[in-house]
Amino acid sequence: MKIVKRHIKLIFTLVAVMGLYACDAKNPFDSDVEIELDVSEGVKTYRIMPIGDSLTEASDPGYRGYLYNSLINAGYAVDFVGLRENEPTNGGDPNHSGFGGYIIGPDENSKISNGSIWYHLDGGYNIMSVECDIILLLIGTNDFWNINHDAAGYHPERDGAVRLGPLLDKMYSLKPNVTILVSNITPLSNDKSYASLFNSQVPGIVEEQKEKGRSCYFVDANGLDWDTTDYPADDNLHFNANGYQKLAGAFYTVLEPLLRELSENNMGSIKFN
């Protein structure tokens, strides 16, 4: 949790057009006035929880720092929240709920005991106990990458996205009023079509949530202009700084207009100091 307090200073000129002074004497209403507005008490701070696997957990630099700093620099009052804490090397809020190696679930990841987001929503770590307004969900990579560690008979293309819808249903059952931004899976450095069937189904899954009256948005991280220069030389799954900055941009593209709309609708009173 990192709270940034903002102050806005306005300097304006009050000019009285009253026609009361015919002489050259200085108009007492013609003066420069400086007013400081403390907006920290009047503007809602939005609590944002990143949830996912190692792509969310990453802090070297990961995408979270780029996203948080971009939102703060754009003037938004945000607080990243979560069960875990590791500050990105490029700065930013350290809190998140990213767990390396985790799958969607509900079946158990045999590599990591109960290593599924489904299980830990209300069991184990109890992710959904964290108070938040917005969730950034990036999950599913290990449902393909670590297939040999998943349940017997599981096929990623056939079963992967099928489990994403019920995961969202469970999240909304635990927090009915939360807003969830759902990302598709990013490609491998050597395979841009990685998880293509899964990714093709994600927009429809998001639309199904909207039809249920839920606040749900699609993030097309896979559709970015990915290049081999976005990955470390020895890793075709995770990203370097260039890649994580792109991933942050995918979330920012959807999140910024949403925060702008929410801020306009929830503008509080402004305190004059």
Side-chain angles (χ1 to χ4, degrees):
M1 178 182 295
K2 181 177 288 187
I3 303 298
V4 178
K5 187 173 183 180
R6 296 187 174 276
H7 295 273
I8 301 174
K9 285 189 176 181
L10 300 181
I11 298 177
F12 60 93
T13 301
L14 299 176
V15 180
V17 187
M18 302 176 63
L20 298 179
Y21 295 90
C23 61
D24 292 333
K26 180 176 176 62
N27 190 329
F29 293 94
D30 185 4
S31 60
D32 291 334
V33 179
E34 181 176 313
I35 294 180
E36 181 176 300
L37 304 182
D38 181 355
V39 300
S40 60
E41 296 181 13
V43 176
K44 176 179 172 62
T45 296
Y46 291 94
R47 297 161 297 184
I48 300 173
M49 179 160 56
I51 297 178
D53 48 42
S54 57
L55 292 174
T56 297
E57 180 183 29
S59 59
D60 56 347
Y63 86 85
R64 293 179 288 109
Y66 288 116
L67 179 59
Y68 176 84
N69 292 329
S70 295
L71 293 171
I72 292 297
N73 291 337
Y76 294 104
V78 296
D79 176 21
F80 279 23
V81 297
L83 295 169
R84 312 193 75 186
E85 183 175 320
N86 54 320
E87 184 170 351
T89 55
N90 60 334
D93 198 312
N95 299 101
H96 65 93
S97 290
F99 301 85
Y102 273 34
I103 60 174
I104 296 172
D107 56 301
E108 182 175 328
N109 184 339
S110 59
K111 182 181 179 182
I112 306 171
S113 179
N114 292 319
S116 75
I117 294 298
W118 172 284
Y119 172 78
H120 287 284
L121 288 180
D122 57 350
Y125 290 120
N126 198 8
I127 295 172
M128 297 300 281
S129 66
V130 178
E131 291 298 322
C132 62
D133 304 296
I134 299 170
I135 288 173
L136 311 179
L137 181 65
L138 174 56
I139 191 66
T141 296
N142 289 297
D143 296 75
F144 287 79
W145 188 254
N146 289 322
I147 181 174
N148 56 313
H149 302 301
D150 217 318
Y154 169 82
H155 188 278
E157 291 286 5
R158 182 193 65 222
D159 303 325
V162 172
R163 304 190 301 179
L164 185 59
L167 178 71
L168 290 168
D169 285 336
K170 185 175 182 180
M171 295 173 80
Y172 281 112
S173 71
L174 296 168
K175 285 191 182 300
N177 298 319
V178 74
T179 292
I180 304 178
L181 276 59
V182 184
S183 175
N184 51 17
I185 299 175
T186 52
L188 301 179
S189 63
N190 59 350
D191 185 5
K192 288 195 173 184
S193 63
Y194 179 67
S196 57
L197 180 58
F198 179 101
N199 284 333
S200 69
Q201 297 176 69
V202 177
I205 292 171
V206 170
E207 286 302 314
E208 289 175 0
Q209 295 299 319
K210 289 183 176 180
E211 291 172 3
K212 296 176 182 179
R214 295 162 176 170
S215 180
C216 196
Y217 297 82
F218 171 61
V219 176
D220 188 13
N222 182 269
L224 299 175
D225 185 22
W226 295 105
D227 188 84
T228 54
T229 58
D230 297 320
Y231 302 78
D234 59 348
D235 188 341
N236 64 351
L237 176 63
H238 301 93
F239 303 110
N240 56 25
N242 289 337
Y244 280 121
Q245 194 164 7
K246 284 186 178 180
L247 181 56
F251 277 106
Y252 184 89
T253 298
V254 179
L255 183 56
E256 190 279 330
L258 174 62
L259 287 174
R260 188 185 334 130
E261 180 180 355
L262 290 173
S263 298
E264 291 171 354
N265 293 338
N266 293 285
M267 192 66 180
S269 59
I270 298 178
K271 177 183 178 182
F272 285 73
N273 289 330

